[in-house]
């Protein structure tokens, strides 16, 4: 057994005895190998690198993922280290091929179709990693003012050319970066910056600590000690510690930030909630909860995740691809295919959690998330029960308008405008976004608009990550989304549609209910509007009780 494997085994055993760390906070075997491969390559220790490359392949890393690790790290340790690592990997693959071993090459990077200026693309990606709104114009302070050339290289090459490649997720790239910088030593300010980015993309303090432990065993105690100082100072500045696991406790519910890739290799970030008196030796039913169109996990989906966890379920509320803390570039792209895929990716994650019974996973979709959840259940049989709250059929709403008021001619005009905008954006013009909810009300706004404003534009439900914006060109794929075409194929798995009696969107659920096969139920809450069901206690007291009885009946 290699030294690192023995060390990790001891650490896991000790943590398991202490009960302070959950399995989802531990590095996976694939992640461990990303750390060791990065560290040994950065140090130029090819004798130790070679067996770790083999171990990485055996742990499930694809050839292209390892290649991407070795290419990525050149930006931090130089071409000579990267090229020697690639040459060593080539010899490993040749030896395995001679021995009759066929390795999985995996997917290659998707073509880059964004034709905007690379500096702007790189700036946007860095801002996404930082969790901030990108500033206007070019940076001129600090090193950027002293050396504009290095600022250009940084944005155009590092964050556009390299980070934009989707073979690795942002979280995996930050693992590579932190491992390289910690292994080289003497770069503490840069290490602080990338540890902070790591937390932003869903890497937990425990995982950062484990990465440092791996550096201590394989590189040096001196480097690990310096990295520990950086990590502890960073966590203190955020009011966190290793013991807090990037979690918070809410009414006895532990909330842990997690991340996982979807089928498009975008990083999906979510909040995983554990019930009070959680027993790490038990298996639980689990619920995936998808947020409304334009929302994020810190709003109604996160509230429902907390409330359902209080009732005894493991729950996962996630940010959809292109929104919130999840990956996906450009931002604010509303892609029905990606939104549906995110539900299955969440099921992937929960199905591999040691405390989730993979045969007892349900979903709850709220508003636009409701239509996406129904669509996901049609093609993912691991979803055993589906519930929606104030469901919106985003396809019908974009084709026909709310209340089916748009004419065929209006729809055709919109499609013509979308085509014209796509032509402009391909030529390098700025992306056009739509603000779905006004920032200020006028006397002409409808009651429906006022209801959404009262939630999204006030402290009641507003959140900085929820801009209520989406790209204009997203209207076309949304128009082409028909979530109920095969809804009858969900049977014999059950469907529950919860709607407010006064909701202007109620006809979406009524239509879905009429098309669905048994078992199905349309549950109407008296006097409630569409947004009332997002968070108002008097209505949640009814809807949560119904959700609990539904899932307890069908997630047996």
């Amino acid at each position: 057994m290699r030294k690192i494997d023995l060390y990790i085994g001891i650490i896991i055993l000790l943590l398991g005895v202490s009960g302070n760390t959950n399995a989802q906070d531990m590095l996976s075997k694939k992640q461990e190998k990303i750390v060791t491969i990065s560290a040994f390559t950065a140090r130029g220790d090819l004798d130790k690198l070679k067996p770790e490359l083999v171990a990485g392949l055996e742990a499930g890393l694809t050839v292209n993922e390892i290649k991407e690790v070795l290419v990525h790290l050149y930006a931090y340790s130089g071409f000579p280290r990267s090229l020697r690592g690639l040459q060593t990997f080539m010899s490993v693959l040749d030896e395995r091929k001679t021995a009759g071993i066929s390795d999985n090459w995996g997917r290659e990077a998707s073509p880059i179709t964004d034709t905007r200026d690379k500096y702007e693309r790189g700036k946007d990606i860095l801002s996404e990693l930082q969790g901030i709104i990108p500033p206007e114009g070019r940076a001129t302070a600090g090193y950027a003012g002293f050396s504009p050339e290095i600022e250009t290289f940084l944005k155009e090459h590092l964050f556009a050319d390299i980070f934009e490649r989707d073979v690795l997720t942002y979280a995996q790239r930050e693992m590579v970066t932190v491992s390289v910088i910690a292994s080289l030593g003497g770069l503490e300010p840069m290490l602080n910056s990338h540890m902070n980015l790591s937390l932003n993309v869903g890497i937990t303090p425990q995982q950062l600590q484990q990465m440092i432990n791996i550096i201590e065993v394989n590189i040096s105690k001196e480097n690990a000690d310096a990295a520990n100082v950086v990590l502890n100072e960073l966590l203190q500045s955020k009011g966190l510690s290793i013991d807090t696991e990037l979690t918070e406790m809410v009414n006895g519910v532990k909330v842990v930030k997690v991340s996982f890739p979807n089928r498009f290799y975008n990083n999906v970030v979510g909040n995983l909630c554990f019930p009070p008196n959680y027993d790490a030796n038990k298996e639980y039913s689990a619920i995936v909860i998808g947020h409304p169109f334009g929302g994020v996990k810190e709003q109604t989906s996160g509230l429902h995740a907390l409330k359902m966890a209080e009732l005894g379920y493991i729950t996962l509320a996630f940010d959809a691809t292109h929104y919130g803390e999840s990956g996906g570039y450009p931002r604010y792209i509303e892609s029905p295919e990606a939104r549906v895929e995110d539900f299955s990716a969440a099921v992937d994650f929960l199905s591999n959690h040691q405390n989730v019974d993979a045969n007892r996973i349900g979903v709850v979709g709220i508003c636009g998330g409701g239509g996406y959840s129904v669509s996901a259940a049609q093609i993912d049989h691991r979803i055993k029960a589906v519930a929606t709250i104030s469901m919106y059929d985003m396809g019908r709403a974009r084709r026909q308008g709310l209340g089916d008021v748009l004419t065929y001619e209006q729809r055709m005009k919109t499609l013509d405008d979308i085509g014209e905008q796509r032509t402009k954006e391909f030529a390098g013009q700025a992306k056009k976004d739509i603000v779905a909810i006004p920032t200020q009300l006028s006397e002409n706004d409808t009651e429906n608009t006022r209801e959404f404003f009262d939630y999204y534009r006030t402290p009641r439900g507003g959140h900085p990550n929820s801009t209520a914006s989406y790209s204009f060109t997203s209207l076309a794929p949304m128009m082409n989304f028909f979530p109920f075409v095969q809804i009858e194929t969900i049977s014999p798995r059950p469907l529950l549609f919860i709607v407010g009696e006064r909701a202007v969107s109620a006809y979406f659920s009524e239509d879905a209910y009429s098309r669905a096969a048994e078992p199905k139920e349309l549950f109407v809450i008296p006097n409630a509007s569409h947004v009332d069901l997002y968070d108002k206690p008097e209505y949640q007291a009814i809807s949560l009780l119904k959700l609990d009885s539904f899932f307890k009946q069908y997630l047996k």
Side-chain angles (χ1 to χ4, degrees):
M1 181 181 288
R2 287 181 297 276
K3 185 178 183 183
I4 180 58
D5 292 328
L6 176 61
Y7 178 82
I8 290 295
I10 293 171
I11 290 295
I12 290 174
L13 178 61
L14 292 174
L15 289 173
V17 170
S18 69
N20 291 329
T21 300
N22 293 302
Q24 73 274 1
D25 298 317
M26 302 297 293
L27 291 174
S28 68
K29 183 61 69 175
K30 287 172 63 174
Q31 290 170 328
E32 290 174 18
K33 297 311 161 191
I34 287 175
V35 175
T36 54
I37 289 169
S38 301
F40 289 137
T41 305
R43 299 282 291 195
D45 195 337
L46 304 183
D47 289 337
K48 291 181 179 178
L49 172 62
K50 193 169 182 178
E52 289 305 305
L53 290 168
V54 173
L57 291 167
E58 293 176 349
L61 288 170
T62 68
V63 173
N64 282 328
E65 285 173 335
I66 294 178
K67 281 171 55 182
E68 199 74 20
V69 167
L70 298 173
V71 170
H72 177 99
L73 60 79
Y74 99 82
Y76 299 94
S77 60
F79 272 116
R81 297 299 195 205
S82 177
L83 290 172
R84 291 297 287 137
L86 287 165
Q87 290 166 347
T88 303
F89 191 31
M90 291 168 62
S91 70
V92 166
L93 293 174
D94 287 341
E95 291 173 7
R96 288 169 65 82
K97 184 177 181 180
T98 300
I101 301 172
S102 179
D103 288 307
N104 177 17
W105 280 71
R107 66 186 295 276
E108 297 183 350
S110 302
I112 303 300
T113 58
D114 191 338
T115 59
R116 293 182 306 138
D117 179 78
K118 282 206 299 185
Y119 182 90
E120 291 300 318
R121 282 156 43 196
K123 183 178 70 173
D124 284 354
I125 290 173
L126 176 58
S127 296
E128 181 181 345
L129 293 168
Q130 293 171 325
I132 63 174
I133 297 174
E136 296 292 333
R138 296 178 68 94
T140 57
Y143 69 82
F146 181 71
S147 176
E149 299 84 358
I150 197 69
E151 163 67 7
T152 298
F153 296 154
L154 183 73
K155 296 295 193 301
E156 291 189 356
H157 183 48
L158 175 59
F159 289 108
D161 286 339
I162 298 180
F163 268 80
E164 202 167 10
R165 290 171 57 82
D166 60 3
V167 174
L168 299 178
T169 66
Y170 288 163
Q172 289 171 318
R173 290 193 182 279
E174 285 305 323
M175 282 187 172
V176 175
T177 305
V178 169
S179 301
V180 169
I181 296 172
S183 298
L184 294 176
L187 300 167
E188 283 72 24
M190 186 177 289
L191 184 59
N192 178 285
S193 174
H194 282 281
M195 283 184 171
N196 189 43
L197 295 183
S198 297
L199 295 174
N200 288 343
V201 296
I203 298 173
T204 67
Q206 292 75 18
Q207 289 172 327
L208 286 171
Q209 181 66 70
Q210 291 167 68
M211 292 165 65
I212 294 172
N213 294 341
I214 292 172
I215 297 301
E216 178 175 351
V217 170
N218 290 273
I219 304 303
S220 78
K221 187 176 186 302
E222 180 182 3
N223 285 38
D225 287 344
N228 269 319
V229 170
V230 173
L231 178 59
N232 289 333
E233 289 179 350
L234 175 63
L235 294 180
Q236 281 185 345
S237 72
K238 291 177 170 291
L240 302 169
S241 71
I242 296 298
D243 293 333
T244 61
E245 302 175 298
L246 213 82
T247 91
E248 57 178 330
M249 298 295 294
V250 182
N251 294 332
V253 173
K254 184 171 76 170
V255 184
V256 181
K257 181 177 287 189
V258 298
S259 65
F260 47 90
N262 66 13
R263 187 169 56 87
F264 305 118
Y265 286 77
N266 285 318
N267 193 54
V268 180
V269 177
N271 288 338
L272 187 66
C273 301
F274 296 89
N277 303 315
Y278 165 69
D279 185 347
N281 296 312
K282 287 178 55 179
E283 286 189 337
Y284 291 79
S285 297
I287 311 294
V288 177
I289 304 177
H291 60 67
F293 169 70
V296 289
K297 64 183 180 303
E298 287 80 11
Q299 297 169 325
T300 180
S301 61
L303 176 62
H304 278 82
L306 287 170
K307 295 297 184 181
M308 293 300 291
E310 289 178 15
L311 295 172
Y313 303 89
I314 290 177
T315 60
L316 175 60
F318 62 89
D319 283 333
T321 298
H322 301 289
Y323 293 92
E325 294 181 291
S326 289
Y329 183 83
R331 305 305 290 165
Y332 313 126
I333 295 289
E334 185 70 15
S335 167
E337 184 180 8
R339 290 290 300 262
V340 171
E341 163 60 22
D342 288 340
F343 278 95
S344 286
V347 175
D348 293 339
F349 175 83
L350 289 173
S351 296
N352 284 278
H353 192 285
Q354 66 173 1
N355 297 113
V356 171
D357 183 341
N359 293 311
R360 290 190 285 148
I361 297 176
V363 300
V364 173
I366 304 171
C367 189
Y372 296 128
S373 67
V374 169
S375 183
Q378 293 169 34
I379 56 174
D380 194 333
H381 287 190
R382 298 172 301 172
I383 297 172
K384 303 303 182 184
V386 185
T388 69
I389 299 171
S390 297
M391 183 178 64
Y392 232 78
D393 178 349
M394 297 306 304
R396 182 174 173 180
R398 292 298 172 257
R399 287 189 302 274
Q400 300 169 220
L402 183 62
D404 298 334
V405 297
L406 290 181
T407 66
Y408 176 83
E409 289 73 23
Q410 288 173 312
R411 189 191 319 170
M412 294 303 102
K413 175 63 167 62
T414 299
L415 289 171
D416 288 340
D417 292 343
I418 291 169
E420 183 179 344
Q421 181 62 29
R422 287 187 61 131
T423 301
K424 291 178 180 178
E425 291 182 13
F426 185 87
Q429 294 190 29
K431 183 167 73 80
K432 178 181 178 181
D433 286 338
I434 296 174
V435 179
I437 301 170
T439 55
Q440 289 185 333
L441 289 174
S442 72
E443 60 182 18
N444 296 323
D445 286 317
T446 65
E447 181 182 353
N448 185 57
T449 298
R450 293 175 181 277
E451 182 179 26
F452 280 104
F453 180 94
D454 184 59
Y455 183 80
Y456 286 102
R457 297 302 193 193
T458 71
R460 173 186 165 193
H463 190 273
N465 288 347
S466 177
T467 64
S469 298
Y470 65 101
S471 70
F472 176 70
T473 56
S474 294
L475 286 171
M478 291 167 72
M479 286 183 186
N480 206 35
F481 180 52
F482 295 82
F484 307 146
V485 167
Q486 302 182 89
I487 192 171
E488 74 280 357
T489 64
I490 295 176
S491 177
R493 292 168 294 148
L495 279 161
L496 169 66
F497 305 98
I498 299 178
V499 297
E501 182 183 33
R502 297 190 300 107
V504 294
S505 60
Y507 69 98
F508 293 132
S509 294
E510 292 165 356
D511 180 39
Y513 174 79
S514 69
R515 294 167 180 255
E518 296 287 352
K520 61 181 180 178
E521 182 177 0
L522 181 66
F523 186 77
V524 181
I525 298 181
N527 301 316
S529 69
H530 178 99
V531 182
D532 283 343
L533 300 189
Y534 282 16
D535 65 335
K536 289 193 173 178
E538 62 268 35
Y539 300 117
Q540 281 206 322
I542 302 170
S543 62
L544 289 168
L545 186 64
K546 183 62 181 179
L547 287 171
D548 188 33
S549 64
F550 173 75
F551 286 119
K552 278 189 168 56
Q553 178 181 356
Y554 290 108
L555 296 184
K556 295 180 180 178

